[in-house]
Amino acid sequence: MKVSAMRIMLSTVAVLAVTGLVNASADDEAKSDVTVLTTETFKEWTAAQDLALIEFYAPWCGHCKSLAPEYEKAATILKDENISLAKVDCTTAQALCEEMEIPGFPTLKVSKKGDFATYNGTRKESGIISYMRKQLLPALSVLDQDSFAKFTKSERVVVVGFVEDVESPEYAELETLAKELRDDVLFGVVKSAELAKEHGVAGPGVVVYKEFDDGKDVFSGKISADELRSFIKASSVPIFDEISGENYSLYAQTGLPFGFAFFDSEETRKKLEEQIYPIAKEYKGVISFVLIDATKYSSQADHLNLKHEWPAFAIQNQTSLAKFPFPQDKDLSKANVQSFVKDFAEGNLQPSYKSEAVPESNDGNVFVMVTDQFNEVVFDKTKDVLLEFYAPWCGHCKNLAPIYESLGGILKQNKNLVIAKMDATANDIPSAEPALQIGGFPTIVMIRGEDNAIVEYNGNRSLESLIEFIEENAANSITYDKEELKVAEEEDEDDDDEGKDDKPAPKVVIDQADVEVEDNVAHDEL
């Protein structure tokens, strides 16, 4: 939800804040190590700080409330390192938050002498501290005998390169990657041959030191940014550990497919650890294997098309979101899982797609799309398809429904045009097309005839705007009764005001980032 769309709500909350119904008391703020900034103090304060982190928040925001204690603890630790943490209440500093282009709450920004950058860390005390400490260091720290031991134990994961000198090609590759990944991983470099020998490294090499598994991973390939990038990301997560909201983002950053092993008791957990750990070790760098508590995250099993029968296992591709559930009528033995994983790695498995039943009759104004019909209808090059992805619980979708129904009726005579809708909570999208990966509800796209080019609709939700979009993007020309359109628009205006202005209509955003970095998840989703 954008700040500009929230001005009325924010103004109301601001009034409450003045009366003390929302804001923390002055005594609490006086004890805090987090500086409270206002529109009047913001620019002067940020310009004076060498390094600072600023949270833009709203008092009513649940995620902001969850962040508050973690942010406070991080501020207390970092203040002794000349790193300041501050916050801005966007209900009382609306103009400032709009100027800073704050898209939602909480938003965190790193400031260096008033120059701002997006904060890309987690919302936990340890993550905030780690991320901000990295901002103080050079991208690539030169290590010697005195600093080596401390550096390799300073973070849960650090990368150390061993090179001959700063003019070597290996140093150049390390420096390039260190700059790219500086927000995620600490990089150090050793130029001393003696120090390298002391730590078992002969010639140019790279070692990832970490607080888990065997304590370190030695890179054996040619030192190049491309090869090292994949190796470091794979080495940055345990071979087989339990996943939760707190550590999800660490696994997500690898980009590797997930191998979810669901347990519902200590007994099933131990059984999975014994059976799957050797497989996870063998396929390290190919799949991120994780244990997941089925009693907390049962909806994740639903998402992966698994029945609530434990233990269970499924693989999901992070890029295409394709799902590969292990057949639950087979024994979840080490041999069977090994074979299943091997087939996945070799590209021999077909993904599983959830679908509602194909409607017996589908001749209404709006075509009801289900997964089992998707490719046949959507990618028919003889027709243009306007497709709405919706959720039954989405308020904006409910508001759009009568308008979309009218649209289908007005354009029904166009035989080369399909006006369709799909319940995206009950049907998977059987396509890896990035343009068909849904980020919010409702999402409307045009799949054009002839070339199947995909164009997302971002206008307001009036009949006139929707028809204009179709006319501009469809491969086939359309006809309609302008008088019928006029009457329908007048009826829609009487019923609802949502589509009257020229701004893009709002969506219910599917934002898992807020959930993924929280370990006190309010619902059972990762």
Side-chain angles (χ1 to χ4, degrees), residues 474-489:
N476 303 289
S477 59
I478 61 170
T479 60
Y480 56 93
D481 186 329
K482 289 184 170 57
E483 189 60 34
E484 184 182 1
L485 172 61
K486 183 178 179 181
V487 172
E489 282 186 322

Side-chain angles (χ1 to χ4, degrees), residues 47-277:
Q49 308 302 313
D50 292 327
L51 179 62
L53 182 63
I54 302 102
E55 176 201 3
F56 297 86
Y57 75 101
W60 45 260
C61 163
H63 292 305
C64 303
K65 293 175 183 177
S66 297
L67 170 62
E70 303 292 327
Y71 200 68
E72 188 67 52
K73 288 183 284 187
T76 299
I77 291 174
L78 291 174
K79 69 177 182 179
D80 295 329
E81 301 176 32
N82 199 31
I83 302 174
S84 303
L85 269 64
K87 62 182 179 180
V88 175
D89 181 350
C90 286
T91 66
T92 58
Q94 294 179 31
L96 172 61
C97 292
E98 290 187 0
E99 180 185 340
M100 293 297 295
E101 299 180 347
I102 304 305
F105 306 121
T107 290
L108 289 89
K109 290 184 178 286
V110 176
S111 173
K112 294 181 179 180
K113 291 289 187 181
D115 291 328
F116 299 96
T118 301
Y119 171 83
N120 293 312
T122 71
R123 294 180 193 158
K124 294 298 175 185
E125 174 195 358
S126 59
I128 294 169
I129 292 170
S130 172
Y131 188 93
M132 295 307 292
R133 281 174 174 167
K134 290 186 182 82
Q135 307 306 307
L136 284 177
L137 296 172
L140 189 58
S141 300
V142 177
L143 308 178
D144 57 21
Q145 186 73 47
D146 295 331
S147 60
F148 184 89
K150 182 179 180 181
F151 182 86
T152 55
K153 290 179 171 50
S154 61
E155 290 279 339
R156 64 182 295 279
V157 176
V158 300
V159 178
V160 178
F162 298 83
V163 301
E164 294 178 359
D165 56 62
V166 296
E167 302 299 327
S168 66
E170 291 83 8
Y171 181 90
E173 293 290 329
L174 277 170
E175 187 176 41
T176 296
L177 192 58
K179 289 177 179 178
E180 176 190 328
L181 301 178
R182 68 167 300 151
D183 290 343
D184 304 321
V185 186
L186 280 182
F187 279 78
V189 62
V190 171
K191 297 183 290 181
S192 165
E194 288 185 12
L195 188 56
K197 185 177 180 181
E198 182 181 329
H199 291 279
V201 179
V206 175
V207 179
V208 177
Y209 293 91
K210 50 189 183 178
E211 297 176 349
F212 47 88
D213 292 344
D214 298 327
K216 67 178 183 179
D217 285 337
V218 179
F219 180 69
S220 57
K222 179 183 178 182
I223 298 180
S224 70
D226 287 340
E227 289 193 32
L228 269 176
R229 187 184 296 106
S230 299
F231 177 79
I232 291 168
K233 287 184 176 182
S235 293
S236 296
V237 293
I239 292 172
F240 191 39
D241 198 6
E242 184 172 348
I243 195 170
S244 67
E246 186 173 1
N247 62 6
Y248 177 91
S249 61
L250 296 175
Y251 288 93
Q253 287 171 7
T254 69
L256 297 174
F258 279 105
F260 290 104
F262 288 85
F263 68 91
D264 65 339
S265 65
E266 278 303 308
E267 181 182 351
T268 54
R269 179 190 172 118
K270 289 178 181 177
K271 182 179 179 181
L272 287 170
E273 286 177 330
E274 292 172 1
Q275 293 176 332
I276 294 181
Y277 182 86

